[in-house]
Amino acid sequence: MEGTPGDVASRSSAAPPKFFIAQTLGPSCAVDERGNGRSQSAAAAALARLNTNSARYVADLRRSTSLTVNHEAYSANWQPVLFNSYAAAATADAPLARTIIDGLKQLARNQRYLNEPGLLTRAQAMQGPPCYSQGANTPCPAHTPRFVARMYANLLISAAVLESFMSDDDRQVLIPWFDQGYRKFVAPELAADPGGVYDFANMGLTRLAYAALKKDMGLAQRELSARRNDFLKHIEASGYISENSYRGVRGFWYHTYGLDPALSYALVAREWGVNYFTDPRLGPRLAAAVQKTELGIRDHAAFRAVGNRGSSFSTDPADRLDFVHQYALNLYAIAAREFGVRLPPSPMHQRLSRLERYSTISGLSARCYYSNR
């Protein structure tokens, strides 16, 4: 079911895909990026850690600097939950789905990640010094609400994927908690302009998952329209991405960090009736951004010749990251399938991305998406 931007309003009453990203999920959805199959125990353990360790994870985030975020122990829990949600849906594994839904309900009943000591909202974080304003290795309060919002993003997508497995009781427990987390952490990120394209396509995938869970097609319509405008604002006709591509010695790394969720969002939008790839204004920009990625892999100096912009960049050679971001797990597949571009290998990306089990910046696996097509 494909459409143009003008079709968004006409499709606002249509039902979303059954499993959020697609009506059916193929066999590759049951294997993660490291070749491991689904695991009920892994999903249960991850949700238990999120429940038990919330105060510790918040304290870790509060110790973050502009350049380095202390999130590893916290975010490591998102991948097994997200992957196993897709795997449960793809294989009709009701016990696995039940384990994840029950784990989410425990978080909801305990009101986790809403009022822990030290937990900052975006408004509270903005009262502190802006990131990088006092140097790369000084405190950055904004990381705390941003990474809590990312957790809600992953869990909202998991819930949207598993919505067809939920009972009325499940929804009565989960929806109020998600409502609070959405209002307190996700909505402020959506309202802010990050200057470029970042996690979950500037939280657009999160709002779309929330709309699916709430069965609010009006909200979905508004999100699809808003995201198109957001991409047109930040993805330049040249293929560079405002802010991302201009972030000094990490400009290319951040370029791919933004392009991966943008392209991933475009896959989902197509399943919801809006085809960004064939959009006469946006499609060529997405294609150009892929071409700039190819340039950056082949000739990093040529990519960086565009220079720096804004204030969120480092020129210290010690901070240099000149490879495809290790979290950009969908970029290669989408570039090949949608644009016919086979990106050259990025050796450090290949090395580091092997450590990742699932994308926690895009919320889906392109390999999974394409496996039923």
Side-chain angles (χ1 to χ4, degrees):
M1 57 182 192
E2 297 182 7
T4 64
D7 293 323
V8 176
S10 66
R11 293 207 56 83
S12 62
S13 61
K18 182 177 180 180
F19 300 120
F20 178 56
I21 67 165
Q23 191 63 27
T24 58
L25 298 176
S28 291
C29 301
V31 179
D32 70 14
E33 301 302 322
R34 294 173 65 179
N36 298 309
R38 63 193 190 274
S39 170
Q40 194 167 342
S41 61
L47 287 159
R49 286 190 296 269
L50 285 173
N51 182 48
T52 302
N53 299 331
S54 63
R56 191 189 103 200
Y57 294 151
V58 170
D60 287 347
L61 290 175
R62 290 299 304 271
R63 290 193 295 271
S64 298
T65 67
S66 297
L67 195 64
T68 304
V69 188
N70 294 323
H71 69 90
E72 286 78 8
Y74 178 39
S75 61
N77 299 305
W78 307 340
Q79 296 186 33
V81 178
L82 190 61
F83 160 64
N84 280 291
S85 298
Y86 281 105
T91 60
D93 188 337
L96 176 56
R98 176 46 47 192
T99 292
I100 296 169
I101 292 168
D102 285 347
L104 293 173
K105 288 170 72 176
Q106 192 63 35
L107 290 169
R109 290 191 182 101
N110 290 335
Q111 295 286 279
R112 292 296 189 248
Y113 303 97
L114 292 175
N115 300 296
E116 282 84 352
L119 184 57
L120 298 175
T121 63
R122 183 180 177 87
Q124 291 169 331
M126 292 300 102
Q127 295 172 11
C131 293
Y132 288 93
S133 64
Q134 299 175 342
N137 293 307
T138 55
C140 177
H143 284 317
T144 296
R146 183 176 300 136
F147 273 75
V148 172
R150 285 181 62 181
M151 180 210 72
Y152 278 109
N154 279 277
L155 300 187
L156 273 164
I157 292 172
S158 289
V161 170
L162 295 177
E163 197 278 331
S164 62
F165 291 86
M166 290 183 187
S167 66
D168 289 342
D169 175 74
D170 296 331
R171 293 178 61 83
Q172 287 171 8
V173 174
L174 288 173
I175 295 297
W177 179 65
F178 277 129
D179 283 342
Q180 292 179 79
Y182 184 88
R183 287 193 299 266
K184 194 167 186 177
F185 294 101
V186 176
E189 296 294 324
L190 281 160
D193 184 352
V197 181
Y198 292 98
D199 306 307
F200 300 97
N202 294 343
M203 287 289 159
L205 280 158
T206 315
R207 179 157 54 186
L208 203 57
Y210 183 64
L213 194 60
K214 299 274 285 187
K215 303 183 188 299
D216 186 342
M217 295 304 100
L219 179 61
Q221 171 205 332
R222 294 191 295 275
E223 163 52 34
L224 289 161
S225 295
R227 205 53 44 205
R228 176 179 180 268
N229 292 334
D230 185 54
F231 287 169
L232 286 171
K233 179 179 180 180
H234 293 305
I235 303 174
E236 301 169 3
S238 66
Y240 284 109
I241 303 173
S242 63
E243 188 177 275
N244 297 62
S245 307
Y246 302 92
R247 292 189 62 170
V249 294
R250 295 188 174 185
F252 179 65
W253 192 67
Y254 276 113
H255 173 88
T256 58
Y257 185 96
L259 184 56
D260 189 273
L263 295 177
S264 299
Y265 187 102
L267 292 183
V268 179
R270 185 164 62 193
E271 296 299 307
W272 285 67
V274 184
N275 194 332
Y276 290 166
F277 295 111
T278 59
D279 182 289
R281 290 186 63 201
L282 182 54
R285 296 185 184 213
L286 294 174
V290 170
Q291 293 294 341
K292 280 293 186 289
T293 302
E294 183 174 31
L295 173 65
I297 298 171
R298 294 188 186 280
D299 189 343
H300 182 258
F303 178 94
R304 286 293 305 126
V306 72
N308 306 321
R309 289 185 194 169
S311 59
S312 298
F313 65 84
S314 172
T315 57
D316 185 344
D319 296 335
R320 175 174 166 140
L321 296 173
D322 57 1
F323 50 89
V324 174
H325 200 290
Q326 62 270 24
Y327 292 171
L329 302 180
N330 296 333
L331 182 51
Y332 277 83
I334 299 175
R337 289 290 293 262
E338 305 298 335
F339 302 100
V341 176
R342 298 201 173 275
L343 295 172
S346 177
M348 187 60 75
H349 166 79
Q350 290 180 311
R351 177 179 162 189
L352 294 179
S353 65
R354 291 193 186 103
L355 303 176
E356 301 301 318
R357 295 186 181 275
Y358 219 72
S359 173
T360 54
I361 62 168
S362 296
L364 68 138
S365 162
R367 180 180 48 76
C368 162
Y369 173 86
Y370 288 126
S371 70
N372 204 36
R373 284 157 181 78

